[in-house]
Amino acid sequence: MEFIIASAVGVLTAGGVYLMLRLRTFPVILGIALLSYAVNLFLFASGRLAVNLPPILSKYGDASYTDPLPQALTLTAIVISFGMTAVLVMIGLAAFLEADSDQINIAADDTDTKTNKDAAQ
Amino acid sequence: MSAGGNLLFLIALLPFIGALVPGVMIRAGRTACATFTAVPTALALVMLMILAPAVLRGEVIQAEIAWLPQLGLSAAFFLDGLGLLFAGMILGVGLLITLYARFYLSSKDPMGQFYTYLLLFQGAMLGIVLSDNILLLLIFWELTSLSSFLLIGFWKHLPEGRQGARMALAVTGSGGLAMIGGMLILGNIVGSYNLTDILQAGDAIRASDWYLPALILILLGAFTKSAQFPFHFWLPHAMAAPTPVSAYLHSATMVKAGVFLMARMWPVLAGTDAWFYIVATTGLVTMVLGALIALFKDDLKALLAFSTVSHLGLLTMLLGFGTQAAAIAAVFHIINHLTFKAALFMTAGIVDHETHTRDIKRLGGLRHLMPVTFVIGTVAALSMAGIPLFNGFLSKELMLEEAAHTTWAGNPYAVPVLATIGALLSVAYSLRFIGHVFLGPARDDYPQKPHDPPFGMWAAPALLAVLVVLIGVMPFLAQDIVNAAASAVTGTEIDIYLKVWHGITPALYMSILAVIGGAVVLWLHRPLDRAWITAPRPEAKTIFDGLVAAIVGLSRGITEATHNGAISRYLAIFVVASVALGVIAFSGGGLTAPTRAMLPVPSIVAIGWLMLVVATCAVVVMHHARFQALVLIGVIGLTISAGFIYLSAPDLALTQISVETVTIMLLLLALHFLPKTTPKESPLALKLRDGMIAVAAGVGIGALAYSFLLRDISTISAFHLANSYEGGGGTNVVNVTLVDFRGYDTYGEIIVLGIAGLVIYALLETLLTGPVARRLRNSERVDDLSRDRHPTMMVVVTRVLMPIAVMVGIYIFLRGHNQPGGGFVAGLVIAIALLMQYMASGFAWTQSRQRIEYHTMIGWGVIIAGLTGAGAWLVGYPFLTSAFTYINLPPIEEFELATAMLFDLGVFLAVLGSVMLMLYSLSRLARLAGEKTNTDAMDFDPADRITDKKAGH
């Protein structure tokens, strides 16, 4: 099981990094979304894995529970990564509408975004 | 703290407070401005005089206010003999300069600014000489660099002024940086940053391995400040400053700060071979070199500047000798140099002011036109030359006496001979100052016909000239302060008797030799000058400018290579660097054996894993088709939520699944405007490179996670589990952690989320009012849309679902404290329920039914959460302490009321408001882009159509 989670984190990271290095905004946003999954999974797993031991206190005897703290932190992290993705999407969208190009790099020979229009077509 | 201590604080503070005055008083006129500038200085001087008798008796006055004791930082001041000498000089000359500048500056100069800078500088200087904490001293040290930058560049319109100021700042500033390192090492060796403690620990410091690095770093600071070779070049360029500044900073105070520091650190650092060879040699070289250059300078102020360099070298050399007699000579010469050099600078300023030139070759014969100035200048210059009955003679005799006994690397002649040459050159340029400026026939080609200035302008140098003669004839007048300061420098009680006549000593022969030789050199000045001009010699400014240009070029090269506008490259560099760091950490060893057994893998989990891996690979391969990629992202998110359920994290699963939904909606909305495909434009090499980076990162993170998961760590979670019910009143430990144990985190997080929502809203507002809006309005983006944008079935189903979804949301919210759920999830669920209405019936229809603005909702959420937390204050508990009780209210079962629930309500509102604000902002764009607004629930209302037909018939 541990290997499953670790490899899933690794695969998500690799996919995320690859997409993050693309040249257009949309794949970069997807890449960051994948990276967020990887990070959240990693954070969650740092409490170590447990099956059928949810951190909901039970009245019966002294049951054992999984580590609740990483879960609480991951929960907010998930919500915050949504907020971050939303801001990125908006910035990417605004940039595209302004410049009519969704390239993320400024061309090496000129810094004028207007000319990127030609490159995009 | 004693009364004396209070006075000490006031003395240190007064110039800074006073710096506010001139800017205000300048409106009352220039004289009023100068008068009020003099007031804080004079007050501080009076207070210093009150403290002086005690200090002269050998007492040390201390004052301290602890500020950050953990870091060893305190506002600590102390006043001993050395501090008294320097503080007196700073304040006394400060007064004279204030008077002089009043007449020197023209009515066009912003005098208020000038005096403000001057007082700032004065405060910084006082801080250096009074600090009892080396960290505080460093702050004042840097302040002098900064304020002198302002003063040197006071005439902003002159390029020389700006360049000189920049050079001074660069040289002294970098020296100051080195000194910070040295001082921190000292503090580390001693274990205290208190100067008085450090001064007691000389033996420990000299025995330490870190002695030499500390010494070199501190000396770098002192040498750059005091313009020692090879850092001497900035001082002549700083002469572009107005003459009062030159007289104040570059003769009396700032350049002496380095000397002061060496004197201050003398008991700790001096006495070793390293000290002797570095300090004495540097001083000796600087003394001779400075005097030599001074002889051939035609600019009056440049001559004086290099003469100052030379005399600072003399002081440095004396301190470098490391003997008590040399330290006494140094202290005495500090006083003497101050008096004659400040007078000479002011004289030069008067000459410049009256004749409009400082070029010696265009001057001469001023004796007849400016008799008063001539007398002052001659007295001061004779003192500089070291002629008997002037005070310069006395300290020079002491210096030569010391030099005569000093052996350098086994050679008994090197130091005495070079010292005599330095003295000889000093005589030559001093006599040149008198001879070529004042003596000779009067000329008729001065740029302006000169005459003596008003009394106010020559009063200050005249006073100094009187001191020159007084001390020269009756040296015992300065005896007390010299004794007190020298005692402080050497750390032992010193009581010497200063006298005019020392008898027939080697020093006297050297002196006579120097005077005669100097006169001869001046007589030969014309041919020597020609030889000097033709001789090749390095120009310091060119070298400095070249160095600066090279550094600028280097940093520009690095910046442009790494920061070329390509985000992809930064990200790649960042990832590669992180991976490299990870590899280094992994290869360091220290990984213990695994302590946890692996859990079994049921087949269903294996299938889920396979799905995740395949979907991720597919996203990577198919990301050019953006819609498909989104679907695959959804698959990944759902698989992860399933994984959370399996691995005992029901709250995470709920959150993930609802966040997934809104994320996909958001991306879909964005995709509405973005191109639907990504062009295939990466060359194969780039793909391979990125692939390699990605695989390396993935393998690294995977390995990290794997080794992490197989080992136990100690956590603080047992506390949360144990106190969740008793302390937090809930059985869902995750929720209790969120709203109680770590409520402060959560509070911050909902604020961040709210800000993200507002950022998006603000970005959109800018877009909607800019040129983009016009383009969007004219665009045709509606072609590929479905004809039936608001299908009847969807409208009906979402209407039915709405109350159910809201009820589920409320249920999830209410059970959150004890069962999986809570404010975060509930907020997301309700948001989805509302978004369904937007999707089914369109923007305008839904908008017209919306009661509360989303901004308001975010605001209320944060306010409610904050007030709930603050409520704990009312009953005397820390912020966010929760309380709960159980209520029995028939016919309902007993239920719990907790303030945490109220906090969770705030979370709920903030999350709901933020998510809605984000998505709704995006859909506003759609409305602009030519989409028809609908006020009806559906496009083709069956009921309407029937009526239409009826009407048609």
Side-chain angles (χ1 to χ4, degrees):
Chain A
M1 195 69 201
E2 274 74 7
F3 180 77
I4 293 275
I5 296 299
S7 58
V9 171
V11 168
L12 285 170
T13 308
V17 167
Y18 182 80
L19 288 180
M20 194 174 77
L21 298 177
R22 296 304 90 210
L23 305 174
R24 303 282 171 154
T25 49
F26 199 75
V28 172
I29 290 169
L30 291 187
I32 290 171
L34 285 187
L35 271 183
S36 308
Y37 289 141
V39 170
N40 290 339
L41 204 54
F42 184 91
L43 267 184
F44 158 71
S46 70
R48 305 301 181 272
L49 305 182
V51 179
N52 277 336
L53 299 172
I56 312 290
L57 300 181
S58 129
K59 291 178 201 162
Y60 310 108
D62 45 3
S64 61
Y65 309 100
T66 185
D67 193 341
L69 190 57
Q71 291 198 13
L73 301 182
T74 311
L75 197 152
T76 48
I78 292 173
V79 181
I80 291 288
S81 32
F82 164 72
M84 188 192 68
T85 310
V87 171
L88 280 182
V89 165
M90 194 63 216
I91 292 172
L93 191 56
F96 172 72
L97 293 176
E98 286 276 354
D100 209 9
S101 157
D102 62 346
Q103 285 183 317
I104 62 165
N105 292 339
I106 298 169
D109 49 340
D110 61 12
T111 52
D112 188 0
T113 47
K114 287 260 162 55
T115 52
N116 280 357
K117 197 193 282 185
D118 306 331
Q121 281 163 356
Chain B
M1 200 178 297
S2 64
N6 284 333
L7 276 187
L8 200 53
F9 269 120
L10 275 178
I11 293 172
L13 266 179
L14 263 172
F16 290 110
I17 300 170
L20 301 171
V21 174
V24 179
M25 287 313 295
I26 189 64
R27 286 161 188 274
R30 287 146 50 83
T31 306
C33 181
T35 313
F36 279 89
T37 307
V39 168
T41 314
L43 269 179
L45 195 60
V46 167
M47 292 182 195
L48 195 72
M49 288 307 129
I50 295 173
L51 296 180
V55 176
L56 290 178
R57 279 197 304 273
E59 290 175 32
V60 174
I61 294 161
Q62 285 185 300
E64 177 166 9
I65 297 176
W67 178 35
L68 287 173
Q70 304 91 331
L71 295 179
L73 253 183
S74 58
F77 296 98
F78 81 126
L79 185 70
D80 62 355
L82 188 65
L84 178 69
L85 169 65
F86 271 91
M89 278 166 33
I90 293 163
L91 292 169
V93 181
L95 266 184
L96 296 181
I97 293 294
T98 309
L99 168 66
Y100 180 76
R102 157 66 188 88
F103 294 95
Y104 181 86
L105 290 179
S106 83
S107 53
K108 287 185 213 95
D109 293 319
M111 190 184 261
Q113 240 176 53
F114 180 84
Y115 280 131
T116 298
Y117 296 162
L118 201 70
L119 283 175
L120 277 181
F121 171 79
Q122 195 180 67
M125 262 326 280
L126 272 182
I128 290 183
V129 302
L130 297 179
S131 290
D132 189 11
N133 182 299
I134 53 175
L135 299 177
L136 192 66
L137 189 150
L138 288 173
I139 293 171
F140 285 121
W141 187 273
E142 297 297 327
L143 269 181
T144 57
S145 292
L146 288 177
S147 49
S148 72
F149 172 80
L150 293 172
L151 281 168
I152 296 171
F154 177 68
W155 281 327
K156 303 183 194 74
H157 54 278
L158 296 179
E160 300 85 33
R162 297 196 300 268
Q163 287 162 9
R166 207 172 52 197
M167 187 192 278
L169 185 67
V171 176
T172 59
S174 44
L177 279 181
M179 202 175 82
I180 290 177
M183 286 295 194
L184 291 181
I185 294 177
L186 272 197
N188 227 15
I189 297 174
V190 180
S192 161
Y193 291 111
N194 252 351
L195 200 51
T196 28
D197 293 342
I198 290 174
L199 290 181
Q200 303 298 320
D203 290 331
I205 289 171
R206 280 188 296 269
S208 164
D209 290 341
W210 287 91
Y211 167 72
L212 196 60
L215 176 70
I216 291 172
L217 288 172
I218 291 176
L219 286 180
L220 271 178
F223 285 175
T224 49
K225 203 74 154 184
S226 282
Q228 295 299 294
F229 177 81
F231 307 112
H232 61 285
F233 57 90
W234 70 264
L235 186 57
H237 288 283
M239 290 300 140
T243 301
V245 174
S246 308
Y248 194 33
L249 273 65
H250 305 129
S251 75
T253 53
M254 192 176 86
V255 291
K256 296 256 174 69
V259 174
F260 167 80
L261 194 81
M262 286 186 272
R264 182 49 98 204
M265 291 295 168
W266 198 87
V268 178
L269 297 176
T272 62
D273 277 354
W275 170 271
F276 173 75
Y277 282 112
I278 298 176
V279 179
T281 313
T282 308
L284 188 61
V285 171
T286 312
M287 176 172 82
V288 177
L289 202 69
L292 183 67
I293 301 174
L295 183 61
F296 298 106
K297 283 290 167 188
D298 289 331
D299 180 359
L300 267 183
K301 279 177 77 179
L303 184 151
L304 292 176
F306 277 106
S307 143
T308 305
V309 168
S310 168
H311 280 268
L312 290 168
L314 186 156
L315 291 170
T316 305
M317 179 183 77
L318 282 174
L319 290 170
F321 285 165
T323 60
Q324 281 196 9
I328 296 166
V331 168
F332 193 29
H333 194 66
I334 287 173
I335 302 175
N336 297 336
H337 179 249
L338 161 86
T339 48
F340 66 70
K341 190 52 69 64
L344 282 173
F345 264 116
M346 293 192 217
T347 309
I350 291 173
V351 170
D352 184 19
H353 198 260
E354 296 301 322
T355 64
H356 284 200
T357 181
R358 299 198 307 245
D359 189 344
I360 297 179
K361 290 200 168 123
R362 299 187 62 185
L363 293 167
L366 292 181
R367 170 173 58 112
H368 309 288
L369 300 161
M370 306 168 72
V372 177
T373 316
F374 163 66
V375 172
I376 297 169
T378 306
V379 167
L382 287 177
S383 177
M384 179 159 77
I387 305 297
L389 294 183
F390 300 103
N391 61 1
F393 168 73
L394 300 170
S395 45
K396 180 143 62 167
E397 285 288 290
L398 291 176
M399 181 276 283
L400 290 172
E401 182 69 34
E402 276 309 299
H405 305 310
T406 306
T407 314
W408 194 89
N411 184 339
Y413 298 111
V415 176
V417 168
L418 281 172
T420 312
I421 292 176
L424 184 153
L425 292 168
S426 180
V427 171
Y429 68 67
S430 303
L431 295 181
R432 181 168 179 236
F433 185 91
I434 303 171
H436 291 188
V437 176
F438 294 105
L439 300 183
R443 301 165 63 146
D444 48 10
D445 60 344
Y446 305 116
Q448 178 177 294
K449 184 80 176 159
H451 52 80
D452 266 325
F455 169 74
M457 201 156 172
W458 62 258
L463 183 65
L464 289 168
V466 168
L467 280 178
V468 164
V469 178
L470 273 182
I471 298 177
V473 180
M474 298 178 279
F476 55 83
L477 288 176
Q479 191 160 302
D480 284 349
I481 182 69
V482 169
N483 276 332
S487 305
V489 171
T490 55
T492 48
E493 195 67 35
I494 284 182
D495 192 11
I496 60 134
Y497 184 68
L498 294 173
K499 47 189 190 277
V500 179
W501 178 247
H502 290 262
I504 310 292
T505 57
L508 190 66
Y509 289 119
M510 287 155 82
S511 230
I512 294 168
L513 202 64
V515 172
I516 296 170
V520 172
V521 167
L522 183 64
W523 183 58
L524 292 172
H525 186 267
R526 197 172 287 258
L528 285 176
D529 195 36
R530 269 199 295 275
W532 174 263
I533 289 169
T534 48
R537 51 185 196 278
E539 176 57 46
K541 188 173 188 311
T542 326
I543 299 171
F544 176 81
D545 286 345
L547 201 65
V548 169
I551 294 172
V552 168
L554 179 71
S555 56
R556 179 167 293 151
I558 292 174
T559 310
E560 281 173 0
T562 54
H563 196 274
N564 62 348
I567 299 177
S568 310
R569 177 185 290 210
Y570 314 154
L571 290 172
I573 291 173
F574 167 71
V575 174
V576 168
S578 310
V579 171
L581 285 177
V583 169
I584 291 169
F586 254 107
S587 60
L591 200 62
T592 54
T595 55
R596 289 174 70 94
M598 286 222 259
L599 294 173
V601 183
S603 54
I604 182 82
V605 173
I607 292 170
W609 177 79
L610 202 62
M611 238 164 80
L612 185 85
V613 172
V614 170
T616 310
C617 296
V619 171
V620 169
V621 175
M622 296 172 46
H623 75 268
H624 298 284
R626 294 181 170 181
F627 274 121
Q628 284 89 320
L630 263 191
V631 173
L632 287 165
I633 290 276
V635 171
I636 296 170
L638 290 181
T639 317
I640 289 177
S641 340
F644 283 143
I645 297 180
Y646 183 75
L647 292 169
S648 321
D651 281 285
L652 288 191
L654 279 172
T655 315
Q656 180 72 58
I657 210 164
S658 38
V659 163
E660 199 53 47
T661 316
V662 286
T663 307
I664 297 294
M665 281 189 201
L666 175 89
L667 289 172
L668 275 174
L669 270 172
L671 208 47
H672 182 64
F673 302 99
L674 291 170
K676 307 296 175 283
T677 54
T678 307
K680 301 195 175 181
E681 57 189 349
S682 303
L684 185 66
L686 187 69
K687 285 185 190 168
L688 280 178
R689 187 203 74 173
D690 293 348
M692 264 152 52
I693 294 175
V695 169
V699 169
I701 294 287
L704 177 66
Y706 187 61
S707 37
F708 201 55
L709 286 178
L710 286 182
R711 284 161 184 82
D712 282 302
I713 45 163
S714 62
T715 71
I716 55 168
S717 302
F719 170 84
H720 296 92
L721 288 167
N723 289 290
S724 175
Y725 190 66
E726 278 82 31
T731 56
N732 180 359
V733 188
V734 172
N735 182 270
V736 174
T737 306
L738 281 175
V739 300
D740 194 324
F741 298 135
R742 303 200 63 85
Y744 210 43
D745 282 3
T746 312
Y747 187 52
E749 250 141 353
I750 59 173
I751 291 174
V752 170
L753 197 66
I755 290 172
L758 294 175
V759 163
I760 289 177
Y761 182 79
L763 268 174
L764 192 97
E765 279 298 307
T766 326
L767 273 187
L768 288 183
T769 49
V772 173
R774 279 194 297 283
R775 185 131 38 93
L776 272 180
R777 258 187 226 109
N778 300 326
S779 67
E780 281 294 323
R781 290 178 186 272
V782 289
D783 300 342
D784 53 343
L785 294 177
S786 157
R787 295 281 168 81
D788 191 6
R789 294 188 307 154
H790 304 291
T792 309
M793 279 310 290
M794 181 142 168
V795 172
V796 171
V797 170
T798 52
R799 290 292 181 284
V800 174
L801 273 177
M802 175 78 176
I804 302 175
V806 170
M807 198 184 68
V808 169
I810 293 173
Y811 172 65
I812 286 178
F813 175 76
L814 287 176
R815 78 203 284 257
H817 214 40
N818 291 310
Q819 294 293 319
F824 275 109
V825 186
L828 290 163
V829 168
I830 304 266
I832 294 170
L834 289 174
L835 286 170
M836 286 196 309
Q837 310 307 314
Y838 276 96
M839 289 201 299
S841 294
F843 181 86
W845 183 86
T846 321
Q847 198 62 23
S848 62
R849 281 155 184 78
Q850 183 197 343
R851 294 285 179 275
I852 311 170
E853 286 286 338
Y854 297 125
H855 322 69
T856 324
M857 206 181 276
I858 299 175
W860 275 117
V862 173
I863 288 173
I864 289 176
L867 283 182
T868 311
W873 284 335
L874 295 180
V875 284
Y877 283 102
F879 189 60
L880 283 172
T881 311
S882 74
F884 57 92
T885 180
Y886 295 91
I887 290 178
N888 202 345
L889 193 70
I892 315 173
E893 262 189 83
E894 184 187 64
F895 64 97
E896 181 191 358
L897 265 187
T899 57
M901 186 72 101
L902 213 53
F903 183 77
D904 220 8
L905 179 68
V907 174
F908 165 79
L909 286 175
V911 170
L912 177 60
S914 312
V915 172
M916 289 311 295
L917 190 61
M918 290 169 187
L919 288 151
Y920 141 87
S921 300
L922 274 171
S923 55
R924 281 178 72 194
L925 264 186
R927 190 178 176 190
L928 200 66
E931 273 186 31
K932 282 173 285 182
T933 48
N934 59 310
T935 45
D936 297 325
M938 37 198 134
D939 289 352
F940 302 100
D941 192 332
D944 282 351
R945 192 168 302 176
I946 293 163
T947 30
D948 278 355
K949 274 182 184 167
K950 275 180 183 167
H953 282 289

